[in-house]
Amino acid sequence: MKRAIFPGSFDPLTLGHYDIIKRSVTLFDEIVVAIGINADKKYMFSLEERKQFIEDAFKDHKKVKVVTYEGLTIDFCKEIDAQFILRGLRNPADFEFEKAIAHTNRKLSKIETVFLLTASNTSYISSSIVRDVIRNNGDYTKLVPDSVRVK
Ligand code: ADP
C-alpha cells in the first residue's frame, strides 16, 4: 500500500493545497493530510476548524484522510507506515527551503519526499495571504475551497 502524508499547517486550506491533494490521489493508495501541531505558533483557525475544512473538502474522496500530529514528520510517517512525504512547490524559494528539509529527512530516515509543481493558476496563493485578505475583509472565497468559511 503506497501511503503518502501531506504535512502542513493548513491555516487555512487553500485552492493550492486542494489542487496538490486532488492530483496526488492518482499517485498513491492513500493520502494522509497531516496537520502539524506547533505549540509555539499562533494560528488564525483552531485545529478543529482546520481539520473540518479539509474533511469537508474531501468528503467524497475515500483515499484522503485527515489527522493531526506532533513531533517530527518522519517519526509520524513511521508510526502510520507512510513511505512518502508529499510537498507542493510554488517557486524557487519553496524549492530551496524544501530541499534542505527533504535532505534532512532522507538523512534521518528512508522516507522519500515527492514534489508536485503547483498548478499555474494557484501557485501565487499562500495561507498567509489568505489570512491577510480575511483580516482586511477581502473576498477570500476566491482563494479557498467552498468548505473554508469564516464564521
Ligand atoms: P507549512 O506550514 O508547512 O508551510 P502550509 O500549510 O503552508 O504548511 O503548506 C503545506 C504544503 O502545501 C507545502 O508543501 C506547501 O509548499 C504546499 N502549498 C502551499 N501553498 C500552495 C499552493 N498555492 N499551491 C500548491 N502547494 C501549496
Side-chain angles (χ1 to χ4, degrees):
M1 162 115 159
K2 278 194 203 155
R3 183 181 285 123
I5 88 159
F6 186 46
S9 312
F10 307 103
D11 188 29
L13 178 74
T14 70
L15 287 177
H17 298 131
Y18 184 80
D19 167 68
I20 295 284
I21 299 167
K22 268 201 85 174
R23 283 160 57 208
S24 68
V25 159
T26 57
L27 302 175
F28 303 102
D29 300 312
E30 188 173 284
I31 318 293
V32 179
V33 182
I35 310 175
I37 303 172
N38 181 345
D40 297 333
K41 247 182 165 178
K42 270 273 191 203
Y43 299 101
M44 173 174 270
F45 294 95
S46 70
L47 192 57
E48 291 70 33
E49 287 174 312
R50 285 180 278 149
K51 191 162 182 261
Q52 195 68 53
F53 291 154
I54 307 170
E55 281 172 352
D56 289 351
F58 291 96
K59 60 178 185 309
D60 297 328
H61 292 77
K62 295 232 162 356
K63 284 175 156 191
V64 180
K65 307 267 181 308
V66 190
V67 301
T68 61
Y69 75 105
E70 274 177 282
L72 286 181
T73 304
I74 50 166
D75 288 342
F76 184 64
C77 285
K78 284 176 207 149
E79 205 179 303
I80 65 162
D81 196 22
Q83 309 90 331
F84 304 96
I85 295 174
L86 173 69
R87 296 291 283 177
L89 289 179
R90 285 168 292 190
N91 49 46
D94 270 358
F95 173 74
E96 289 302 330
F97 179 73
E98 295 292 341
K99 186 171 80 159
I101 298 176
H103 281 319
T104 308
N105 285 339
R106 192 68 196 145
K107 186 85 182 166
L108 303 181
S109 73
K110 291 202 156 47
I111 292 154
E112 289 285 4
T113 304
V114 176
F115 297 102
L116 285 186
L117 278 189
T118 64
S120 54
N121 60 336
T122 56
S123 65
Y124 65 93
I125 302 174
S126 68
S127 293
S128 63
I129 290 180
V130 171
R131 292 196 298 275
D132 245 14
V133 172
I134 292 172
R135 265 187 220 108
N136 293 288
N137 301 313
D139 185 6
Y140 67 94
T141 62
K142 293 190 165 80
L143 307 170
V144 297
D146 291 343
S147 66
V148 178
R149 288 297 177 262
V150 180
K151 279 189 221 124

Short mmCIF file of all heavy atoms in Angstrom, two decimals, residues 46-80:
data_model
loop_
_atom_site.label_atom_id
_atom_site.label_comp_id
_atom_site.label_asym_id
_atom_site.label_seq_id
_atom_site.Cartn_x
_atom_site.Cartn_y
_atom_site.Cartn_z
N SER A 46 -8.69 27.38 14.57
CA SER A 46 -8.38 26.34 15.56
C SER A 46 -8.07 25.04 14.82
O SER A 46 -8.42 24.86 13.64
CB SER A 46 -9.57 26.13 16.50
OG SER A 46 -10.62 25.50 15.79
N LEU A 47 -7.45 24.12 15.54
CA LEU A 47 -7.11 22.82 14.96
C LEU A 47 -8.38 22.13 14.44
O LEU A 47 -8.40 21.56 13.34
CB LEU A 47 -6.43 21.98 16.05
CG LEU A 47 -5.75 20.71 15.63
CD1 LEU A 47 -4.70 20.96 14.57
CD2 LEU A 47 -5.12 20.05 16.85
N GLU A 48 -9.46 22.20 15.21
CA GLU A 48 -10.72 21.55 14.83
C GLU A 48 -11.26 22.17 13.54
O GLU A 48 -11.72 21.47 12.65
CB GLU A 48 -11.78 21.71 15.94
CG GLU A 48 -11.50 20.94 17.21
CD GLU A 48 -10.31 21.50 18.01
OE1 GLU A 48 -10.11 22.74 17.99
OE2 GLU A 48 -9.59 20.71 18.62
N GLU A 49 -11.19 23.51 13.45
CA GLU A 49 -11.69 24.18 12.23
C GLU A 49 -10.86 23.78 11.02
O GLU A 49 -11.39 23.47 9.95
CB GLU A 49 -11.61 25.71 12.40
CG GLU A 49 -12.64 26.29 13.33
CD GLU A 49 -12.43 27.78 13.58
OE1 GLU A 49 -11.28 28.21 13.87
OE2 GLU A 49 -13.42 28.52 13.48
N ARG A 50 -9.53 23.78 11.19
CA ARG A 50 -8.65 23.44 10.05
C ARG A 50 -8.92 22.02 9.58
O ARG A 50 -8.94 21.74 8.38
CB ARG A 50 -7.18 23.63 10.47
CG ARG A 50 -6.79 25.11 10.53
CD ARG A 50 -5.35 25.29 10.94
NE ARG A 50 -5.19 25.21 12.36
CZ ARG A 50 -4.09 24.76 12.98
NH1 ARG A 50 -3.07 24.32 12.27
NH2 ARG A 50 -4.02 24.74 14.28
N LYS A 51 -9.12 21.12 10.54
CA LYS A 51 -9.38 19.71 10.21
C LYS A 51 -10.73 19.58 9.48
O LYS A 51 -10.85 18.89 8.46
CB LYS A 51 -9.37 18.90 11.51
CG LYS A 51 -9.35 17.42 11.31
CD LYS A 51 -8.90 16.72 12.59
CE LYS A 51 -8.84 15.24 12.39
NZ LYS A 51 -9.99 14.51 12.88
N GLN A 52 -11.72 20.27 10.01
CA GLN A 52 -13.07 20.20 9.42
C GLN A 52 -13.08 20.72 7.98
O GLN A 52 -13.71 20.12 7.10
CB GLN A 52 -14.03 21.04 10.29
CG GLN A 52 -15.50 20.76 10.02
CD GLN A 52 -15.89 19.36 10.48
OE1 GLN A 52 -15.66 18.98 11.61
NE2 GLN A 52 -16.47 18.56 9.58
N PHE A 53 -12.37 21.82 7.73
CA PHE A 53 -12.31 22.39 6.37
C PHE A 53 -11.81 21.33 5.38
O PHE A 53 -12.34 21.19 4.27
CB PHE A 53 -11.33 23.58 6.31
CG PHE A 53 -11.78 24.81 7.05
CD1 PHE A 53 -10.82 25.72 7.53
CD2 PHE A 53 -13.12 25.10 7.23
CE1 PHE A 53 -11.21 26.88 8.18
CE2 PHE A 53 -13.52 26.26 7.90
CZ PHE A 53 -12.56 27.14 8.38
N ILE A 54 -10.76 20.59 5.80
CA ILE A 54 -10.16 19.61 4.88
C ILE A 54 -11.08 18.40 4.72
O ILE A 54 -11.31 17.92 3.62
CB ILE A 54 -8.75 19.18 5.38
CG1 ILE A 54 -7.86 20.40 5.63
CG2 ILE A 54 -8.08 18.26 4.35
CD1 ILE A 54 -6.55 20.11 6.34
N GLU A 55 -11.63 17.94 5.85
CA GLU A 55 -12.54 16.78 5.78
C GLU A 55 -13.74 17.09 4.89
O GLU A 55 -14.14 16.26 4.06
CB GLU A 55 -13.02 16.40 7.20
CG GLU A 55 -11.96 15.62 7.94
CD GLU A 55 -12.31 15.39 9.42
OE1 GLU A 55 -13.30 15.98 9.92
OE2 GLU A 55 -11.56 14.65 10.06
N ASP A 56 -14.29 18.27 5.02
CA ASP A 56 -15.46 18.64 4.21
C ASP A 56 -15.08 18.75 2.73
O ASP A 56 -15.83 18.33 1.85
CB ASP A 56 -16.06 19.97 4.69
CG ASP A 56 -16.75 19.83 6.03
OD1 ASP A 56 -16.90 18.67 6.48
OD2 ASP A 56 -17.11 20.86 6.63
N ALA A 57 -13.90 19.31 2.46
CA ALA A 57 -13.48 19.49 1.07
C ALA A 57 -13.27 18.14 0.37
O ALA A 57 -13.46 18.02 -0.84
CB ALA A 57 -12.18 20.31 1.00
N PHE A 58 -12.90 17.11 1.15
CA PHE A 58 -12.59 15.80 0.55
C PHE A 58 -13.55 14.71 1.00
O PHE A 58 -13.21 13.53 0.99
CB PHE A 58 -11.13 15.42 0.85
CG PHE A 58 -10.16 16.30 0.11
CD1 PHE A 58 -9.60 17.40 0.73
CD2 PHE A 58 -9.87 16.06 -1.23
CE1 PHE A 58 -8.74 18.25 0.04
CE2 PHE A 58 -9.02 16.89 -1.92
CZ PHE A 58 -8.45 17.99 -1.29
N LYS A 59 -14.76 15.10 1.37
CA LYS A 59 -15.70 14.10 1.90
C LYS A 59 -16.04 13.02 0.86
O LYS A 59 -16.38 11.90 1.22
CB LYS A 59 -16.95 14.75 2.50
CG LYS A 59 -17.77 15.58 1.57
CD LYS A 59 -18.99 16.10 2.34
CE LYS A 59 -19.97 16.86 1.49
NZ LYS A 59 -19.44 17.93 0.64
N ASP A 60 -15.92 13.34 -0.42
CA ASP A 60 -16.22 12.35 -1.47
C ASP A 60 -14.99 11.60 -1.95
O ASP A 60 -15.05 10.85 -2.92
CB ASP A 60 -16.90 13.05 -2.66
CG ASP A 60 -18.22 13.67 -2.24
OD1 ASP A 60 -18.87 13.10 -1.35
OD2 ASP A 60 -18.58 14.72 -2.80
N HIS A 61 -13.84 11.84 -1.32
CA HIS A 61 -12.61 11.17 -1.72
C HIS A 61 -12.19 10.16 -0.65
O HIS A 61 -11.62 10.53 0.37
CB HIS A 61 -11.48 12.19 -1.95
CG HIS A 61 -11.72 13.07 -3.14
ND1 HIS A 61 -12.61 14.12 -3.10
CD2 HIS A 61 -11.21 13.03 -4.39
CE1 HIS A 61 -12.63 14.70 -4.29
NE2 HIS A 61 -11.80 14.06 -5.09
N LYS A 62 -12.48 8.90 -0.92
CA LYS A 62 -12.24 7.85 0.09
C LYS A 62 -10.76 7.68 0.44
O LYS A 62 -10.40 7.21 1.50
CB LYS A 62 -12.78 6.51 -0.41
CG LYS A 62 -14.28 6.49 -0.59
CD LYS A 62 -14.89 5.29 0.13
CE LYS A 62 -16.37 5.38 0.40
NZ LYS A 62 -17.07 6.58 0.05
N LYS A 63 -9.88 8.04 -0.52
CA LYS A 63 -8.45 7.82 -0.30
C LYS A 63 -7.81 8.91 0.57
O LYS A 63 -6.65 8.80 0.94
CB LYS A 63 -7.72 7.85 -1.64
CG LYS A 63 -7.88 6.61 -2.49
CD LYS A 63 -7.19 6.91 -3.81
CE LYS A 63 -6.74 5.72 -4.56
NZ LYS A 63 -5.86 6.13 -5.68
N VAL A 64 -8.53 9.98 0.84
CA VAL A 64 -7.95 11.11 1.59
C VAL A 64 -8.38 11.07 3.05
O VAL A 64 -9.58 11.06 3.36
CB VAL A 64 -8.35 12.46 0.95
CG1 VAL A 64 -7.75 13.63 1.72
CG2 VAL A 64 -7.93 12.51 -0.52
N LYS A 65 -7.38 11.00 3.95
CA LYS A 65 -7.67 11.01 5.39
C LYS A 65 -7.07 12.29 6.00
O LYS A 65 -6.10 12.83 5.45
CB LYS A 65 -6.99 9.81 6.09
CG LYS A 65 -7.32 8.46 5.46
CD LYS A 65 -8.50 7.86 6.17
CE LYS A 65 -8.94 6.50 5.67
NZ LYS A 65 -9.18 6.32 4.25
N VAL A 66 -7.61 12.73 7.11
CA VAL A 66 -7.09 13.93 7.77
C VAL A 66 -6.74 13.59 9.22
O VAL A 66 -7.59 13.03 9.94
CB VAL A 66 -8.09 15.09 7.74
CG1 VAL A 66 -7.44 16.39 8.20
CG2 VAL A 66 -8.69 15.27 6.35
N VAL A 67 -5.52 13.90 9.63
CA VAL A 67 -5.10 13.61 11.00
C VAL A 67 -4.30 14.80 11.54
O VAL A 67 -3.93 15.70 10.77
CB VAL A 67 -4.21 12.35 11.09
CG1 VAL A 67 -4.93 11.12 10.56
CG2 VAL A 67 -2.91 12.55 10.34
N THR A 68 -4.02 14.78 12.82
CA THR A 68 -3.13 15.80 13.41
C THR A 68 -1.95 15.06 14.02
O THR A 68 -2.07 13.88 14.37
CB THR A 68 -3.86 16.62 14.49
OG1 THR A 68 -4.25 15.73 15.54
CG2 THR A 68 -5.08 17.31 13.93
N TYR A 69 -0.81 15.73 14.11
CA TYR A 69 0.35 15.07 14.71
C TYR A 69 1.27 16.08 15.36
O TYR A 69 1.24 17.27 15.04
CB TYR A 69 1.12 14.25 13.66
CG TYR A 69 1.96 15.09 12.71
CD1 TYR A 69 3.35 15.15 12.83
CD2 TYR A 69 1.37 15.82 11.69
CE1 TYR A 69 4.13 15.91 11.96
CE2 TYR A 69 2.13 16.59 10.82
CZ TYR A 69 3.51 16.63 10.96
OH TYR A 69 4.26 17.40 10.11
N GLU A 70 2.07 15.58 16.28
CA GLU A 70 3.08 16.41 16.94
C GLU A 70 4.44 15.76 16.73
O GLU A 70 4.53 14.54 16.55
CB GLU A 70 2.79 16.49 18.44
CG GLU A 70 1.82 17.59 18.80
CD GLU A 70 1.49 17.60 20.28
OE1 GLU A 70 0.68 16.76 20.69
OE2 GLU A 70 2.06 18.43 21.00
N GLY A 71 5.47 16.56 16.76
CA GLY A 71 6.83 15.98 16.65
C GLY A 71 7.32 15.95 15.22
O GLY A 71 6.77 16.61 14.34
N LEU A 72 8.36 15.14 15.01
CA LEU A 72 8.99 15.08 13.69
C LEU A 72 8.08 14.38 12.68
O LEU A 72 7.50 13.34 12.98
CB LEU A 72 10.31 14.31 13.76
CG LEU A 72 11.52 15.01 14.40
CD1 LEU A 72 12.73 14.08 14.33
CD2 LEU A 72 11.81 16.33 13.71
N THR A 73 8.04 14.95 11.47
CA THR A 73 7.20 14.37 10.42
C THR A 73 7.65 12.93 10.11
O THR A 73 6.81 12.04 9.93
CB THR A 73 7.28 15.25 9.15
OG1 THR A 73 6.89 16.57 9.52
CG2 THR A 73 6.34 14.74 8.07
N ILE A 74 8.97 12.69 10.08
CA ILE A 74 9.43 11.32 9.74
C ILE A 74 9.02 10.30 10.82
O ILE A 74 8.75 9.15 10.52
CB ILE A 74 10.96 11.26 9.49
CG1 ILE A 74 11.73 11.93 10.60
CG2 ILE A 74 11.31 11.79 8.11
CD1 ILE A 74 13.22 11.59 10.58
N ASP A 75 8.99 10.75 12.07
CA ASP A 75 8.55 9.83 13.13
C ASP A 75 7.08 9.48 12.95
O ASP A 75 6.66 8.34 13.14
CB ASP A 75 8.77 10.45 14.52
CG ASP A 75 10.24 10.51 14.89
OD1 ASP A 75 11.03 9.78 14.25
OD2 ASP A 75 10.60 11.30 15.78
N PHE A 76 6.32 10.50 12.56
CA PHE A 76 4.89 10.25 12.34
C PHE A 76 4.69 9.32 11.14
O PHE A 76 3.81 8.46 11.16
CB PHE A 76 4.14 11.58 12.16
CG PHE A 76 2.67 11.38 12.02
CD1 PHE A 76 1.93 10.85 13.06
CD2 PHE A 76 2.03 11.69 10.82
CE1 PHE A 76 0.57 10.62 12.92
CE2 PHE A 76 0.67 11.47 10.68
CZ PHE A 76 -0.06 10.94 11.73
N CYS A 77 5.51 9.49 10.11
CA CYS A 77 5.44 8.61 8.93
C CYS A 77 5.63 7.16 9.35
O CYS A 77 4.90 6.27 8.91
CB CYS A 77 6.52 8.97 7.91
SG CYS A 77 6.18 10.46 7.00
N LYS A 78 6.64 6.93 10.21
CA LYS A 78 6.92 5.56 10.65
C LYS A 78 5.73 5.01 11.44
O LYS A 78 5.33 3.87 11.28
CB LYS A 78 8.19 5.52 11.51
CG LYS A 78 9.46 5.64 10.66
CD LYS A 78 10.72 5.71 11.53
CE LYS A 78 11.82 6.45 10.82
NZ LYS A 78 12.73 7.17 11.72
N GLU A 79 5.18 5.89 12.28
CA GLU A 79 4.06 5.48 13.13
C GLU A 79 2.87 4.98 12.31
O GLU A 79 2.22 4.00 12.66
CB GLU A 79 3.65 6.71 13.95
CG GLU A 79 2.97 6.44 15.24
CD GLU A 79 2.67 7.78 15.93
OE1 GLU A 79 3.62 8.56 16.18
OE2 GLU A 79 1.48 8.05 16.19
N ILE A 80 2.59 5.68 11.21
CA ILE A 80 1.39 5.29 10.43
C ILE A 80 1.77 4.52 9.16
O ILE A 80 0.92 4.28 8.31
CB ILE A 80 0.52 6.52 10.06
CG1 ILE A 80 1.26 7.47 9.10
CG2 ILE A 80 0.04 7.24 11.31
CD1 ILE A 80 0.32 8.42 8.38
#
